[in-house]
Amino acid sequence: MTTPAPQSTSRPEDAVRAVTDRLLTGLQARLARAIDRGEKATLSRNDPPGDPGLWLSLRLEDLHGSTGPGLSEQDYVAAATAVTAAAQLWARTDIPHARSTAQRVTLLGHVVARIARDRPAAEEDLARALRCHTLDELLPRLRPLLRDATRLDFAQLAADLYTWQQPEGPHRTTQQWATAYARAKNRAYRAPAPRP
């Protein structure tokens, strides 16, 4: 799996976002042409996202960027684990990766708010995910939570999973997800009902 090196970034989250976006955008394009099905199958296996063998097959050395000293060992491990976890979730859910834009917000909190309109139990699924303390607890909660999603910004999710692994990261990340969910839910209730 070849991923072009990201531009030089000052924050590991930016490198995680750029590498994940390039990786999944490339994989989706190749899969659309019936190429690289084996790569998706590899990601669908039940290997832990902290497996260095997966990092090598995903060519995650690109997280270091093309200039500068690169990431510390601790940052690289957290970054590679985050990219791999997001890529595995993408492979296991068949949800297309779509970057979030001003016109179409595809961040986790917003996506779950849209899901909850048709499946109210999604709100409780989100609450269970927000109570997790470790990445190992969180990852199994995300897949069923997103089962009705039509698209998701997996690059931003990877950056969030990187942040999750930092001191106070679960608290910061869950606050962001809950805030985004509440904001999107509030907008949905204020929006006029579609005309028949």
Side-chain angles (χ1 to χ4, degrees):
M1 296 181 198
T2 304
T3 305
Q7 300 296 323
S8 179
T9 57
S10 57
R11 299 178 335 138
E13 297 93 331
D14 296 334
V16 166
R17 194 177 297 107
V19 167
T20 305
D21 183 54
R22 285 186 180 98
L23 171 69
L24 296 182
T25 300
L27 269 171
Q28 285 180 162
R30 291 190 303 276
L31 284 169
R33 296 187 316 265
I35 303 170
D36 289 343
R37 289 186 183 148
E39 293 176 25
K40 185 174 181 185
T42 298
L43 287 169
S44 296
R45 291 191 316 232
N46 209 15
D47 297 330
D51 179 357
L54 278 174
W55 303 345
L56 291 175
S57 68
L58 294 173
R59 298 186 50 86
L60 296 185
E61 64 273 8
D62 292 342
L63 285 166
H64 287 296
S66 56
T67 61
L71 301 175
S72 69
E73 182 177 349
Q74 182 179 355
D75 282 338
Y76 178 78
V77 168
T81 299
V83 172
T84 304
Q88 288 175 319
L89 187 61
W90 168 82
R92 293 171 184 163
T93 60
D94 287 325
I95 300 169
H97 164 59
R99 284 174 268 179
S100 193
T101 65
Q103 293 78 28
R104 183 185 296 172
V105 180
T106 56
L107 304 175
L108 181 71
H110 291 85
V111 168
V112 175
R114 283 194 291 273
I115 292 169
R117 281 185 273 176
D118 297 322
R119 184 171 58 91
E123 186 167 329
E124 183 54 37
D125 292 342
L126 177 62
R128 279 192 288 277
L130 297 179
R131 288 191 288 268
C132 293
H133 298 289
T134 67
L135 199 59
D136 289 338
E137 288 178 76
L138 174 67
L139 294 176
R141 300 253 185 226
L142 291 178
R143 187 174 175 188
L145 172 64
L146 296 169
R147 74 173 184 244
D148 297 320
T150 56
R151 58 182 39 91
L152 179 68
D153 187 339
F154 283 95
Q156 182 58 51
L157 178 62
D160 292 344
L161 296 178
Y162 171 82
T163 300
W164 186 284
Q165 298 172 76
Q166 306 308 308
E168 298 298 316
H171 179 71
R172 285 194 328 258
T173 305
T174 56
Q175 279 187 331
Q176 289 174 351
W177 290 349
T179 300
Y181 174 82
R183 186 175 295 129
K185 186 175 177 181
N186 185 38
R187 273 195 213 118
Y189 284 124
R190 287 185 294 148
R195 295 182 185 177

